[in-house]
Amino acid sequence: MLRKIIFYICFFPVTGFFSMVAVCFKNQKAAHWCERNWGRWIVFLSGCDIEADLSELDPEQTYIFMVNHQSFFDIPLLFWYLHPWHFKFVAKQSLFKIPVFGHAMKAANHISIDRQNRRKAMKDIQKAVDAAEEGNSPLIFPEGTRNPDPVSLMPFRVGGMIIALKCNKPIAPVLMVGPAEALPKGKLILKTGSKIRIKALKPIDPSGYSLKDREKFKDDLQKMMDKAYAEMRNE
């Protein structure tokens, strides 16, 4: 209980501080510093027991990250553990409307996708391609939203596959087990001290797929991540 109290006493000032710095400085170096350190502080304050295996990844490589999505707690976890890759979230537009935090996301050039406007969505996809060309790693949640029942992964959406194939960079599947137990969808109280596992799978060479193969790519990626996720949950 004491750790939980400390977490919430510190969460809002820490989040506000790093968000305001990102908004005020408006450059990518400052934004990345804020994201990394905000993630580090939130993870530390949570007291969660975290095991991360990213040994399959090359710190010098630009990837398209494909990550399962369980909880709002995924965000600080990813900011901290994936910070060597200067990644950019590819996320729904509504997240960018959150006061302060959303402004910080915009300042850091994370990529919003307007799912209601096809023409605007195509321009947003091009932003992801441009980010990858500049050495940033777009990060996609292929399930499209937080999974309310993390016993298994939800069906992947084809939109994320289109972005990944257009970027033409190695695709790095990353799986997380435990964030849903730490902070379930629809809940506001973090269960401090939870056990969380993060594991990067072997990257996929996208050259074997074209945009016309996006459904096959989606099915192959889903099968690969489903199998690894089930193994992680049973270990």
Side-chain angles (χ1 to χ4, degrees):
M1 178 59 72
L2 179 59
R3 178 174 285 279
K4 190 171 294 187
I5 292 170
I6 293 171
F7 177 84
Y8 280 99
I9 288 174
C10 296
F11 176 83
F12 295 104
V14 168
T15 300
F17 170 76
F18 285 116
S19 295
M20 291 306 298
V21 171
V23 170
C24 291
F25 280 84
K26 294 183 179 179
N27 67 72
Q28 294 308 290
K29 185 175 181 180
H32 185 61
W33 180 86
C34 290
E35 293 166 349
R36 180 180 72 246
N37 285 287
W38 177 73
R40 181 180 186 180
W41 271 101
I42 299 306
V43 169
F44 169 74
L45 290 167
S46 75
C48 289
D49 177 12
I50 301 170
E51 177 187 327
D53 178 5
L54 304 176
S55 58
E56 292 283 2
L57 303 181
D58 178 357
E60 303 300 320
Q61 176 67 56
T62 299
Y63 293 107
I64 310 302
F65 285 109
M66 290 285 188
V67 188
N68 66 309
H69 195 15
Q70 297 186 348
S71 167
F72 276 132
F73 194 51
D74 296 347
I75 296 174
L77 287 166
L78 294 169
F79 273 146
W80 175 233
Y81 285 98
L82 295 185
H83 75 262
W85 290 275
H86 290 221
F87 72 85
K88 301 296 179 185
F89 280 116
V90 180
K92 59 186 178 182
Q93 197 173 47
S94 59
L95 288 180
F96 293 77
K97 297 179 180 179
I98 299 173
V100 184
F101 181 79
H103 288 88
M105 293 277 283
K106 288 180 182 178
N109 287 344
H110 291 283
I111 302 154
S112 68
I113 296 291
D114 187 345
R115 296 175 179 173
Q116 308 304 317
N117 185 326
R118 182 176 176 82
R119 182 175 295 180
K120 177 67 164 54
M122 294 306 294
K123 292 181 179 179
D124 294 335
I125 289 172
Q126 186 57 47
K127 290 179 182 177
V129 175
D130 293 342
E133 289 298 321
E134 293 167 2
N136 298 297
S137 293
L139 187 150
I140 298 165
F141 293 123
E143 297 163 294
T145 189
R146 288 171 293 157
N147 188 347
D149 184 13
V151 172
S152 60
L153 301 182
M154 294 193 300
F156 290 176
R157 298 186 179 187
V158 74
M161 309 303 122
I162 294 172
I163 296 172
L165 293 174
K166 274 184 168 289
C167 289
N168 197 32
K169 300 287 183 182
I171 295 151
V174 176
L175 289 165
M176 297 192 288
V177 172
E181 285 71 31
L183 185 64
K185 183 175 182 177
K187 302 293 184 181
L188 297 176
I189 304 301
L190 179 73
K191 184 180 178 183
T192 55
S194 299
K195 182 173 178 58
I196 295 172
R197 296 183 61 207
I198 304 170
K199 184 175 183 179
L201 307 184
K202 185 175 181 180
I204 300 167
D205 180 358
S207 64
Y209 300 90
S210 69
L211 275 177
K212 293 180 180 179
D213 300 321
R214 54 186 176 270
E215 288 288 348
K216 182 179 188 306
F217 172 58
K218 176 175 69 71
D219 293 343
D220 290 347
L221 180 66
Q222 177 102 49
K223 184 177 179 181
M224 174 189 185
M225 293 180 70
D226 278 344
K227 180 181 177 182
Y229 183 75
E231 291 172 352
M232 286 177 68
R233 284 184 57 86
N234 291 327
E235 287 177 355

